[in-house]
């Protein structure tokens, strides 16, 4: 289950501005995951250097391994 997070966005006094900011952050997050998937998790032609990925993207090794395994699972491509 994914928990909902709350964000305090200083300087964004109206709901429309807050909504736009959160939409943009959501787009960046999806692009980040897409880049990790295409550049690292699904590369079949080379070995993935876990330490390099973790350092470059400031990700814990545990989180990277979870992400990597989820992207390598055939059920991920179906969803």
């Amino acid at each position: 289950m994914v928990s909902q997070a709350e964000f305090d966005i200083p300087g964004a006094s109206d709901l429309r501005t807050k909504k736009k900011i959160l939409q943009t952050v959501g787009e960046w997050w999806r692009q980040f995951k897409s880049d990790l998937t295409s550049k690292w998790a699904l590369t079949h032609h080379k070995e993935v250097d876990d330490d390099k990925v973790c350092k470059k993207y400031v990700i814990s090794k545990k989180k990277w391994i979870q992400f990597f395994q989820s992207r390598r699972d055939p059920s991920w491509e179906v969803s």
Side-chain angles (χ1 to χ4, degrees), residues 16-61:
R16 196 167 135 186
T17 303
K18 289 180 182 182
K19 182 178 178 180
K20 182 61 179 167
I21 291 169
L22 291 175
Q23 284 176 334
T24 301
V25 170
E27 290 170 13
W28 290 344
W29 176 245
R30 286 187 298 280
Q31 186 60 52
F32 173 72
K33 292 189 302 181
S34 177
D35 287 348
L36 280 178
T37 300
S38 63
K39 292 177 183 175
W40 299 99
L42 297 181
T43 56
H44 298 288
H45 61 280
K46 62 181 178 180
E47 287 292 317
V48 175
D49 183 349
D50 294 335
D51 293 326
K52 182 178 180 180
V53 174
C54 293
K55 185 176 180 180
K56 181 175 181 165
Y57 295 103
V58 193
I59 305 171
S60 73
K61 193 158 190 170

Side-chain angles (χ1 to χ4, degrees), residues 59-74:
I59 305 171
S60 73
K61 193 158 190 170
K62 180 181 176 183
K63 291 288 185 186
W64 165 246
I65 297 297
Q66 288 173 338
F67 182 83
F68 180 84
Q69 290 174 343
S70 74
R71 292 308 196 247
R72 290 291 181 113
D73 187 315

